[in-house]
Amino acid sequence: VPKKEANSKPVSVIRNNTLMKIRSEEIQVGDLVRITKDESAVCDICIMLSSNDEGVCFIQTSNLDGESSYKQRNSLAEVQGALEVRENGLIIDSNEKILTFHGEIICNLPNADIYEFNARLESFKTETLSLSSKQLIQQSAILRYTDWIWGVAVFTGNQTKLGMNKKSH
């Protein structure tokens, strides 16, 4: 995908408790970003809510590591449970609770190790929760077998795992 096209891709985000559509190049660290089935992540995202039960989602990372097998990611059970809205037993994409999400992710400085992510979610309710690579969806990973996810942008632009691994020519 040409850089200009990738940077202008429309993305749904929640910023300051407001749902908006922006261009992917306008995503800021801390935005809640929505990704839908078969879409590529436009930044490094820490998953908070999935359309699948138990917060599960699957990603394909062949653009990052050449592996075509799907990898499982999970939102934290405490976060998934607090944010999900169910209708007839199914998790629905409702802004009802996601708009009220409040927390702060404290993580390491950006680095090129695509398999490493250690962070914590603070001020979520009154808890501090540990986050790991099991919650990280890297830029260019494609969402598979999952209708949608919401996640917090943790690294953008050249500070993403993909950006840190680009070779300069």
Side-chain angles (χ1 to χ4, degrees), residues 82-102:
L83 298 179
E84 72 183 18
V85 175
R86 289 187 177 260
E87 195 171 274
N88 299 322
L90 299 174
I91 300 168
I92 60 169
D93 192 8
S94 164
N95 301 328
E96 181 183 327
K97 291 185 180 177
I98 197 79
L99 281 168
T100 66
F101 174 81
H102 178 76

Side-chain angles (χ1 to χ4, degrees), residues 27 42-43 139 155-164 166:
I27 291 175
V42 294
C43 60
Q139 180 187 18
F155 301 118
T156 62
N158 289 330
Q159 295 187 334
T160 63
K161 302 287 186 181
L162 180 67
M164 300 286 286
K166 286 181 183 166

Side-chain angles (χ1 to χ4, degrees), residues 85-142:
V85 175
R86 289 187 177 260
E87 195 171 274
N88 299 322
L90 299 174
I91 300 168
I92 60 169
D93 192 8
S94 164
N95 301 328
E96 181 183 327
K97 291 185 180 177
I98 197 79
L99 281 168
T100 66
F101 174 81
H102 178 76
E104 183 178 3
I105 294 178
I106 310 297
C107 56
N108 295 342
L109 292 173
N111 65 69
D113 185 344
I114 63 173
Y115 300 109
E116 185 255 324
F117 181 71
N118 293 303
R120 63 186 187 276
L121 173 61
E122 293 187 346
S123 307
F124 177 74
K125 302 198 174 227
T126 57
E127 300 177 69
T128 296
L129 304 170
S130 293
L131 299 166
S132 72
S133 58
K134 293 182 186 332
Q135 285 77 50
L136 185 67
I137 299 175
Q138 301 97 330
Q139 180 187 18
S140 86
I142 301 168

Side-chain angles (χ1 to χ4, degrees), residues 9-12 21 33-42 45 58-60 63 137-149:
K9 179 182 173 192
V11 181
S12 293
K21 272 257 197 238
V33 180
R34 183 178 187 267
I35 299 185
T36 58
K37 184 179 190 176
D38 300 327
E39 271 188 336
S40 294
V42 294
I45 296 169
F58 296 92
I59 59 171
Q60 185 177 9
N63 292 340
I137 299 175
Q138 301 97 330
Q139 180 187 18
S140 86
I142 301 168
L143 189 65
R144 301 287 192 204
Y145 299 111
T146 308
D147 290 336
W148 51 264
I149 61 108

